[in-house]
Amino acid sequence: MPAPDGGAARRARRARPQAHAAVCGSRQGSVEFVDLVHGPQTYAAADIGDFIVRREDGTAAFFFCNAVDDSVMGVTHVLRGDDHLTNTPRQLMLLDALEMRRPSYGHVGLLVGADGAPLSKRHGSASVQDFRERGFLSAAVLNHLFHLGHSSDVEGWLAPSEMPPHFRPDHLGLASARFDEAQLMHWQKETLQRMSAAEIGAWLGSGASEVFVELVRHNVVLPADARPWAAVVQGELPPMGEAERGVIAAAGPAFFSAAADALDQAGPDLKQLTRILRERTGRKGAELFMPLRVALTGQSHGPELAPLLQLMTPGTARRRLEAHAKNP
């Protein structure tokens, strides 16, 4: 098989018209601007050197397109990461040469993780879509971003419509801001406190009733937090932890047998149920209440037991009590 004609390929390349890169630069004067975060900035033109605005293939460099597009679109303020600060004098040189309007530039510190390292997958860095799918509320995310690296005159929660008057670029910090999901959780809780039961019900989905919402609203931060309590009301309980198993064992089968009988008399009225059970077992206080709670919910803490019992079907509550009455 004959070898490719390398000489022919070279001759064909030489015959094509040669494209050239376009270079911009200046050796005189300086570029000055006031950064909205860093303050007055001055760059000697000689230190900037030449830079390419169009490549050999005819495509324009990004920072050239970016600056021209912002000016043409009438953008008045540009806030971006401080890794772009050194691009600004080049972009201003281009805009001045083209006699185009300069926007105001501000450069903020880049986000880092809670440990001070650049954000990465190990920090759980995610897109807005990821936060939305997990159930974070838009007002919570906006409050977190508003306070992230920004010292506002209002430290508490703000409605999105209230944020613009309290945002000042000169209050943005020079240091890198630390993204900590624990702070986002704080703003999520603050947002939930300001929502109606109907709004929380729509957020939880799955036809959550207003009674159920009012019951669990102080125990949930994300929709996933409500699922175990939905299971308590109308599903199957997950396996108990060691502490909960200890509570059940200490109470003994006879206690739960008496509790099942008391339930038949009292129905879903917890006050009446505990009165009857106290008379039959002699137990009172936490000694009576805790094993009852653990048997019915699988947990030793959470929403009030009385409304939970009201939401359970009689068969569900009795089946759970009887299950522990049969245990040796």
Side-chain angles (χ1 to χ4, degrees):
M1 182 175 179
D5 186 354
R10 285 193 296 273
R11 286 192 297 273
R13 284 197 299 271
R14 293 192 192 103
R16 289 198 296 265
Q18 292 297 304
H20 299 280
V23 178
C24 179
S26 174
R27 294 289 184 270
Q28 298 179 354
S30 61
V31 180
E32 298 180 357
F33 65 99
V34 178
D35 189 277
L36 297 171
V37 179
H38 291 262
Q41 302 289 306
T42 301
Y43 291 81
D47 294 337
I48 296 173
D50 296 337
F51 51 93
I52 294 174
V53 296
R54 188 188 66 190
R55 303 181 186 89
E56 289 186 5
D57 62 3
T59 59
F62 168 76
F63 72 87
F64 170 75
C65 300
N66 177 250
V68 171
D69 186 59
D70 284 346
S71 185
V72 171
M73 294 292 290
V75 173
T76 59
H77 293 73
V78 175
L79 286 174
R80 56 190 183 183
D82 58 12
D83 54 336
H84 287 285
L85 181 59
T86 55
N87 287 336
T88 306
R90 295 176 173 86
Q91 292 181 310
L92 292 176
M93 288 175 68
L94 289 167
L95 293 176
D96 292 346
L98 295 170
E99 298 183 350
M100 302 181 75
R101 183 189 53 78
R102 290 182 171 194
S104 296
Y105 287 95
H107 295 83
V108 299
L110 299 178
L111 290 181
V112 297
D115 58 358
L119 281 178
S120 64
K121 289 183 179 179
R122 69 187 179 88
H123 292 105
S125 58
S127 66
V128 172
Q129 180 66 26
D130 293 327
F131 287 123
R132 181 183 293 114
E133 290 175 354
R134 290 173 62 191
F136 282 101
L137 298 156
S138 59
V141 175
L142 287 172
N143 269 274
H144 184 48
L145 294 176
F146 179 81
H147 291 88
L148 198 60
H150 177 248
S151 56
S152 171
D153 57 338
V154 177
E155 295 184 1
W157 187 93
L158 287 169
S161 60
E162 298 173 325
M163 292 178 182
H166 298 285
F167 178 79
R168 291 182 55 183
D170 57 335
H171 283 190
L172 289 166
L174 296 177
S176 296
R178 299 196 177 204
F179 178 85
D180 186 349
E181 193 167 296
Q183 286 297 315
L184 178 56
M185 289 290 190
H186 165 76
W187 296 115
Q188 178 83 348
K189 293 175 184 177
E190 291 285 327
T191 304
L192 285 169
Q193 289 177 8
R194 292 162 172 81
M195 292 170 63
S196 67
E199 290 171 330
I200 294 178
W203 170 67
L204 290 176
S206 302
S209 68
E210 187 170 335
V211 174
F212 179 76
V213 170
E214 289 293 352
L215 177 62
V216 304
R217 64 180 300 161
H218 299 298
N219 294 88
V220 300
V221 180
L222 297 172
D225 300 330
R227 291 175 196 144
W229 299 112
V232 165
V233 170
Q234 55 187 13
E236 295 298 322
L237 298 179
M240 291 184 184
E242 184 177 349
E244 286 74 20
R245 291 196 300 271
V247 171
I248 295 295
F255 172 83
F256 296 107
S257 179
D261 292 340
L263 180 67
D264 289 338
Q265 290 183 256
D269 185 336
L270 182 65
K271 186 175 181 180
Q272 181 73 353
L273 171 62
T274 53
R275 184 188 65 78
I276 296 171
L277 194 55
R278 183 170 59 250
E279 292 174 353
R280 293 186 178 180
T281 64
R283 290 172 175 258
K284 58 184 179 179
E287 190 181 30
L288 180 148
F289 183 80
M290 188 56 70
L292 196 60
R293 178 184 183 83
V294 170
L296 290 171
T297 70
Q299 300 189 47
S300 58
H301 61 278
E304 292 183 26
L305 181 58
L308 278 174
L309 183 58
Q310 291 283 341
L311 290 173
M312 294 179 199
T313 65
T316 296
R318 194 175 215 292
R319 185 176 69 253
R320 290 173 181 173
L321 293 173
E322 287 179 336
H324 299 295
K326 297 174 183 178
N327 287 340

